[in-house]
Amino acid sequence: MVVYSFYIFDRHAECIYKKKWNPRPTSSSTQLQSNGLSNGPPNPTALSAEDDAKLIFGTIFSLRNMVRKLGGPDDNFISYRTGHYKLHYYETPTSLKFVMVTDTKTNNLRIVLHQIYVSLYVEYVVKNPLSPVEHPGGVGVNCELFELGLEQFITGSL
């Protein structure tokens, strides 16, 4: 399994944590040659990390609302798949949103996202007296233990 990226959004739609491991494949027309050069034109519409996070949040917000309107209040949005990646989603009771983007062959990671919330986020961020309760203005999670634990969790167990 390949993990491309991981995001945490707060209840105010702010991206409070983002981490990228591997770049997502964009299209099959731009392939890397053996010498590391691409054989296609450069991508002038490459997104910044902030724009990428905004698009991810907009996508999960829209899909979550669509699922609730079509299926009722008891149905939940869990994941969706495209031809290039699969997006996994977990929302906590406090409206924190955990999002992981992986390759298309990955099974549902809702339980993994719940484990990241319970064993890493709660332990290292929520219980940390130096960590702010709210993250106004995009001030994100800045905890070395959380980052180290997440890195070990992703590389070790997945």
Side-chain angles (χ1 to χ4, degrees):
M1 176 181 80
V2 179
V3 176
Y4 298 130
S5 56
F6 175 73
Y7 301 89
I8 302 175
F9 297 96
D10 68 2
R11 59 190 172 116
H12 304 294
E14 294 281 342
C15 182
I16 59 172
Y17 185 80
K18 56 185 162 271
K19 171 83 172 166
K20 291 191 177 196
W21 283 275
N22 299 309
R24 273 194 316 260
T26 53
S27 71
S28 59
S29 64
T30 305
Q31 297 290 327
L32 288 179
Q33 297 175 356
S34 62
N35 62 0
L37 300 174
S38 90
N39 62 2
N43 188 1
T45 61
L47 297 174
S48 70
E50 287 183 23
D51 291 340
D52 196 27
K54 288 178 185 177
L55 285 174
I56 296 276
F57 183 81
T59 301
I60 61 171
F61 181 79
S62 299
L63 288 172
R64 186 189 62 175
N65 287 341
M66 183 181 71
V67 166
R68 286 187 180 160
K69 286 184 181 181
L70 292 176
D74 294 335
D75 285 340
N76 290 322
F77 167 64
I78 297 172
S79 66
Y80 82 94
R81 181 186 324 223
T82 69
H84 298 286
Y85 65 90
K86 185 173 182 180
L87 185 139
H88 307 270
Y89 174 74
Y90 174 72
E91 186 171 357
T92 68
T94 57
S95 296
L96 285 172
K97 295 150 186 72
F98 288 72
V99 179
M100 187 175 289
V101 181
T102 64
D103 64 341
T104 57
K105 298 175 183 130
T106 306
N107 291 330
N108 185 6
L109 295 180
R110 185 175 174 90
I111 294 171
V112 171
L113 291 173
H114 176 73
Q115 288 175 343
I116 291 172
Y117 168 65
V118 171
S119 63
L120 297 174
Y121 187 82
V122 170
E123 289 297 320
Y124 297 128
V125 179
V126 174
K127 292 182 179 180
N128 183 355
L130 299 175
S131 179
V133 175
E134 293 287 327
H135 301 276
V139 174
V141 174
N142 189 14
C143 180
E144 273 187 48
L145 289 174
F146 174 74
E147 290 189 23
L148 181 63
L150 181 65
E151 185 73 31
Q152 289 176 348
F153 186 82
I154 295 298
T155 57
S157 66
L158 302 178

